[in-house]
């Protein structure tokens, strides 16, 4: 994700990164070259113009399709951000609540915190199809357990299972009752629910028929535009075609980029930053990581 100041208006107008220009330049250039050819033939060989009425009506329909496309994509983007916000909250809640009951067992609490910080890293890697990553805190975990988790079919689920096993060990050691374990494990369940929501977005693209029809309509509209403008605009048809093609292809490409917000595109969610934030927040609670020691209850 690109950080920017929304109050600085002119500063970003020359930016190429994140602007979709690189993605649409060849499509726009093809439209412009076509408009040059149409204008030259119309002015020097034979008339090429067509009535603009149908083209105007088609432009209204196409605009509505593009609005729906970008709104649907942004809904997916924002839902993904809310789901990752839920992951941030539940990891903090789990570490906070478990720290009260496990204050007397630094090793067990440390294992829970480290597995909890590993969950977002594993989830991000799974959503991106990247190699397994459990984050920096995995270095403090059992080498055998880490190897087993890395070899699991669904790594985030295996991490969540380790978290539940640590909570069960705390109950067996008598640090809390079974009903407390169930309440703590509810945070783990919510983490799995949030990941499942992210996988739903990631694995369910926009319907193929909608995507195909929209792109066909875009191509037909942009490449027929010079025919509708050439009689009235003359050589001004070329810059007019450029502006319209840039706007329409750019809007469609924005929808494509934010449709799946968990990738590595310039406008995707900053999953690395979110994972690092969770890791820093949770490890700060560990005494051996520089965090404050557990506070004993006031008698």
């Amino acid at each position: 994700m690109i950080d920017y100041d929304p109050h600085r208006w002119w500063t970003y107008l020359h930016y190429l990164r994140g602007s979709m220009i690189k993605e649409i330049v060849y499509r726009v250039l093809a439209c412009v070259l076509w408009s040059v050819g149409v204008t030259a033939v119309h002015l020097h060989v034979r008339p090429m113009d067509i009535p603009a009425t149908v083209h105007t009506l088609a432009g209204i329909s196409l605009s509505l399709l593009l609005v729906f496309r970008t709104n649907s994509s942004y809904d997916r983007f924002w839902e993904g951000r809310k789901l990752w916000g839920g992951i941030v909250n539940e990891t903090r809640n789990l570490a906070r609540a478990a720290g009260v009951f496990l204050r007397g067992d630094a090793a067990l609490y440390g294992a829970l915190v480290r597995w909890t910080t590993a969950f977002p890293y594993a989830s991000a890697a799974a959503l991106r199809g990247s190699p397994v990553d459990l984050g920096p805190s995995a270095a403090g975990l059992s080498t055998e357990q880490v190897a087993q988790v890395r070899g699991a079919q669904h790594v985030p689920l295996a991490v969540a299972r380790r978290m539940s096993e640590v909570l069960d060990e705390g109950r067996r050691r008598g640090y809390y009752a079974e009903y407390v374990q169930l309440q703590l494990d509810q945070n783990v369940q919510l983490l799995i629910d949030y990941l499942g929501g992210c996988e739903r977005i990631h694995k369910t693209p926009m319907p193929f028929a909608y995507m195909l029809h929209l792109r066909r309509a875009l191509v037909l509209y942009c490449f027929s535009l010079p025919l509708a403008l050439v009689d009235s605009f003359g050589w001004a048809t070329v810059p007019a075609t450029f502006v319209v093609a840039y706007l329409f292809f750019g809007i469609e490409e924005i929808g494509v980029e934010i449709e799946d917000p968990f990738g590595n595109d310039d406008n995707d969610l900053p999953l690395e930053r979110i994972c690092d934030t969770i890791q820093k927040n949770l490890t700060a609670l560990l005494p051996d990581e520089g965090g404050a020691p557990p506070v004993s209850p006031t008698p």
Side-chain angles (χ1 to χ4, degrees):
M1 175 175 283
I2 300 174
D3 294 320
Y4 67 96
D5 182 357
H7 300 289
R8 296 171 59 186
W9 212 92
W10 297 101
T11 306
Y12 305 106
L13 292 183
H14 66 282
Y15 272 36
L16 290 179
R17 183 188 173 204
S19 65
M20 304 294 103
I21 291 179
K22 292 186 292 184
E23 287 78 4
I24 67 173
V25 61
Y26 295 111
R27 280 168 263 172
V28 175
L29 183 60
C31 287
V32 170
L33 293 176
W34 169 250
S35 68
V36 171
V38 168
T39 304
V41 171
H42 177 79
L43 295 178
H44 302 292
V45 180
R46 58 181 298 272
M48 294 284 291
D49 60 299
I50 60 174
T53 304
V54 175
H55 206 271
T56 301
L57 296 175
I60 296 173
S61 301
L62 181 59
S63 298
L64 294 175
L65 284 173
L66 287 172
V67 169
F68 177 78
R69 175 71 166 96
T70 53
N71 284 347
S72 299
S73 295
Y74 186 76
D75 285 343
R76 295 161 61 92
F77 177 89
W78 185 239
E79 184 181 1
R81 182 61 186 91
K82 290 192 293 185
L83 290 168
W84 271 87
I87 291 176
V88 172
N89 293 340
E90 294 308 321
T91 53
R92 289 172 176 170
N93 283 331
L94 178 58
R96 169 191 56 80
V100 175
F101 298 100
L102 298 177
R103 64 167 58 91
D105 195 327
L108 194 62
Y109 182 56
L112 177 62
V113 167
R114 291 185 177 92
W115 281 120
T116 304
T117 61
F119 182 84
Y121 285 100
S123 299
L127 290 171
R128 290 177 169 176
S130 304
V132 176
D133 180 18
L134 299 181
S137 293
L141 295 168
S142 165
T143 304
E144 180 181 355
Q145 291 181 348
V146 169
Q148 291 176 351
V149 167
R150 287 181 176 275
Q153 188 270 334
H154 193 282
V155 176
L157 181 60
V159 172
R161 180 178 179 180
R162 291 294 177 184
M163 295 161 63
S164 295
E165 289 175 352
V166 174
L167 292 174
D168 185 62
E169 179 65 22
R171 190 265 309 167
R172 288 192 283 108
R173 295 184 184 183
Y175 295 128
Y176 41 76
E178 184 175 353
Y179 75 91
V180 175
Q181 177 192 354
L182 294 175
Q183 290 178 336
L184 293 175
D185 199 66
Q186 182 68 22
N187 297 115
V188 182
Q189 177 180 330
L190 287 173
L191 289 176
I192 294 296
D193 290 344
Y194 291 137
L195 175 59
C198 293
E199 291 175 335
R200 168 173 47 82
I201 295 174
H202 175 65
K203 296 181 179 180
T204 310
M206 296 290 288
F208 177 77
Y210 181 83
M211 179 277 298
L212 183 62
H213 183 76
L214 175 58
R215 291 185 174 178
R216 284 174 175 172
L218 271 174
V219 170
L220 287 173
Y221 182 88
C222 290
F223 280 87
S224 63
L225 181 62
L227 302 175
L229 297 181
V230 67
D231 188 49
S232 301
F233 281 62
W235 281 109
T237 299
V238 177
T241 300
F242 167 78
V243 171
V244 174
Y246 171 75
L247 291 175
F248 278 14
F249 282 122
I251 292 172
E252 196 270 341
E253 192 64 32
I254 290 172
V256 171
E257 182 148 320
I258 66 175
E259 175 184 335
D260 182 1
F262 309 117
N264 294 292
D265 294 328
D266 291 331
N267 294 290
D268 285 336
L269 294 174
L271 299 188
E272 299 90 348
R273 192 186 312 169
I274 297 174
C275 293
D276 291 342
T277 297
I278 295 173
Q279 193 269 337
K280 292 175 182 177
N281 291 164
L282 269 58
T283 55
L285 300 175
L286 300 176
D288 58 344
E289 297 288 343
V295 178
S296 300
T298 302

